[in-house]
Every structure is written in C-alpha cells, then in structure tokens.
Amino acid sequence: ASSIAGVPKVGGTLILNGGTWPLDGTTDAYQWLRDAVAITGSTQSTYELTPEDLGKTISARVTGAKGGFATLAKTTASTPAVGAGALSNSEKPAIAGTPKVGSRLTASDGVWAPGGAAFRYQWLAGGAVVSGATTKTFAPTSAQLNKTMTVRVTASKDGFATLSADSPATSAVTGTAPKVLVNSKAPHIPTNALV
C-alpha cells in the first residue's frame, strides 16, 4: 500500500511512497488531498505543505492504469493535522550607527528562513524595553545615556510559529544630556520707563 513520508508541518515536503501494483507496466497518477478534498494542481509524487494546510490532514490518492484493465485507485492514510512551520534565524539582527545621544541607530533584520517573513522591532536599553521604540530606527535620548542598546527583531509568517532574535549589544551610549538654559537674573524694568 502507498504511504506518506515526511513531517506534516507548514513549509515541509511530503513524499508519496507508492505501493506496487500486481501487474507490471502499470502507470501511476497522483492526487494530493486536504481533508479528503483534492488540492488543485497537486499531482506529483511530492507535496510542499502551505499555510492553507495548517490544522488540516493530508492524504494522497494513487490511481494505477494499464491498457486493457480497469483503473484502480487507492488512498493513503491521512497524516496527523499539519502543524505550524518553524522559522529559523541563521544571522542575528545587527545595529548600524553610533550609539550617541541624538544619533540615529538602524536595525538590520538578520537572515531568516524561509523568506517572506514580516518583521517587528523593539529597542532595549541596558536590557530593558524602551517604551514606544518599535520602529527600524531609534535615536537614543539622555534616558539611554551610558546604557548599551540592543534591538529585538520578531519574524512572523502565515502558517509559521513566530520567532524573535536579539542583536548583539552596542557599546554604551555616549554624549551629554541637552543643557537647559537658566536665566539667573530676573527681568528688570527701568524705573524711568515710559508709561
């Protein structure tokens, strides 16, 4: 009997291990099924799992044909429900720019597989989340002075489990806090001012 090999997770590939027919010279035709319904265009001996398969079971129908004989179709057992795929990060995010008060830092996403993921950003100062700092760029303020900066990049893709990776930390943020002008003298109105 035919069977399916491979891990049923989005992004993975299933392989149909065809059984043997009792007659030599039989040709096989394949049709992959999602919850027992034919998947359009999926007629090869392998099938790459897509986000549409998440939570569904996959099976395959093998039809054998030989001239002069009635065709015979057999359907494999279904896989367990297809699980979420796994994103992977092979190169961590990085930070470009000088860690200085008022100087813009820019995050790079790093390298992720498979491609096509969407990214979210969160900047951290000294390991603590910087509230509201969720864009690809960030300019440190005096609140980050003397703290190292890192950026957390979170990747998401339909059918895949979300994954985050942190950049290496920068050196400590340098610079000085902006000076506040203080007027040490009270305004003076001359005594002979015109009224």
Side-chain angles (χ1 to χ4, degrees):
S2 299
S3 63
I4 295 174
V7 178
K9 287 190 174 183
V10 172
T13 300
L14 298 179
I15 301 167
L16 184 58
N17 293 325
T20 57
W21 300 103
L23 296 172
D24 289 336
T26 303
T27 58
D28 294 337
Y30 309 106
Q31 177 62 64
W32 290 91
L33 311 167
R34 179 188 299 125
D35 282 350
V37 177
I39 304 169
T40 303
S42 299
T43 57
Q44 303 298 314
S45 60
T46 61
Y47 177 67
E48 186 171 336
L49 294 160
T50 68
E52 291 79 21
D53 299 319
L54 185 62
K56 308 285 177 41
T57 61
I58 303 296
S59 58
R61 183 169 50 244
V62 181
T63 302
K66 181 174 173 70
F69 292 86
T71 59
L72 181 62
K74 293 184 179 180
T75 301
T76 66
S78 295
T79 65
V82 174
L87 291 168
S88 65
N89 174 247
S90 59
E91 183 179 307
K92 291 198 173 293
I95 297 173
T98 303
K100 185 176 180 181
V101 171
S103 180
R104 185 186 307 267
L105 300 175
T106 303
S108 70
D109 299 329
V111 177
W112 300 80
F119 300 106
R120 293 192 319 269
Y121 308 92
Q122 176 62 65
W123 291 87
L124 299 95
V129 167
V130 179
S131 180
T134 57
T135 60
K136 191 167 183 155
T137 61
F138 177 73
T141 68
S142 56
Q144 288 82 48
L145 189 61
N146 300 321
K147 295 178 182 174
T148 59
M149 299 299 303
T150 54
V151 65
R152 177 168 297 142
V153 176
T154 301
S156 59
K157 182 177 172 76
D158 284 347
F160 289 79
T162 300
L163 183 66
S164 296
D166 289 358
S167 71
T170 65
S171 56
V173 173
T174 62
T176 55
K179 294 183 179 179
V180 177
L181 294 175
V182 177
N183 186 352
S184 60
K185 293 185 178 182
H188 175 66
I189 299 175
T191 54
N192 61 349
L194 294 175
V195 177

